[in-house]
Amino acid sequence: LHAARSICTNLLVPLVCFVKLLHRYVIFVRGQQQAAHLLQQTGGHAESALDMAGYVEFQHSYRQVLRAHKSALYAQRSFWKVLLHSNVTFTAIVKAFKHIEATRSRADKMYQTVLERYPLNIKVLRAYARFLEDVKNDPWSASHFYTEADKLEEQEGAEGTDALAALGSNQGVDATGGTKQVDEKTSAVCVINATGTIQMTNKVLLKMFGYRKGELEGKNVSMLMPQPYSGRHNGYLRNYQTTGVPKILDQTQEMVALHKEHYVFPITLCVTRVSGVGAEAMFMGVMKPAVEDSASVKAWVMPGGVMLCVDARFTDWFAKSPIDCVGRPFASLAVDGDALSG
């Protein structure tokens, strides 16, 4: 029986090797087919095809490294869950520590591999900085990678400034005057397409709304507006595509914007169409902060008395964060007179 098992094992070894080789060949063939398909989609331009293939490869690598990062965090959470039990064995603690070390080591190796391939990618640098800070408890090394990411962001911001300045000079819009020129150093600028997807933002807008570079591109511009404006904005864009009749283009209007921390603030906004028509149209919005009354706070309330949003000073007055106020009855902020007198 032992001899028969040995013979079977020896027969299976070349079969397994053949399967691995066949699997690699299938991957190679699929890669070649994908490259040919990308080349065909880009009209025969090899550089564009390679760029698109490289982008897909980066997204895959980035998702893989984030999964490993998340696994390391889950391992830490599992360790603390073990300690919550009333009876904790030494074996369970050792097992939890080993799991933490294994997931951390695997994530660190994946990060190193991705960083070798994409050493100047801001998203990867910031993700690794968070990994060093949260998983490896190394804030000093994390600060180094944060600094590198900030430097690269400033360089890209300078390049983006030239593009936005050229875009504004072609159309000549101004948030204060309507049709002059854009001061990109003091005005927040956002470029969207016909569906409301953000294509480009400048550093002033990111600072004004509390976002980092890369967090807004590809998202819908309605995320920068409170309700009910955010729910209606896509409808306005569709109506413009259908009718071609502008309602707010090339007009300076006072509006409210939604910060990342869920509070609102007043702005002046001027929107203009910079290129294309219909579904191919591109729009640029130029914003500046409006003057606020420091002696008052504001809350936006539905006809039924439910709060939609509040401004930044609301927390100082009512000790409630902006996100806690959304959806609450405005009457809940008032104090019962009898209870107050008692």
Side-chain angles (χ1 to χ4, degrees), residues 38 56 106 117 151 189 192 212 230 259 281 313 338:
L38 290 173
V56 173
R106 181 167 61 250
R117 190 175 182 92
K151 289 180 180 178
V189 181
I192 65 171
R212 288 187 175 273
S230 60
H259 194 272
R313 290 187 299 275
D338 296 333

Side-chain angles (χ1 to χ4, degrees), residues 168 171-184 186-190 202 204 208 248 250-255 267-272 284-290:
Q171 294 297 322
V173 294
D174 184 10
T176 59
T179 56
K180 292 295 182 183
Q181 61 181 4
V182 178
D183 186 358
E184 202 271 335
T186 59
S187 301
V189 181
C190 179
N202 69 341
V204 178
M208 182 185 296
I248 66 168
D250 300 321
Q251 300 177 20
T252 301
Q253 296 185 338
E254 290 192 2
M255 303 186 67
I267 60 170
T268 58
L269 170 67
C270 181
V271 181
T272 188
M284 181 170 68
V286 183
M287 290 156 275
K288 285 188 176 182

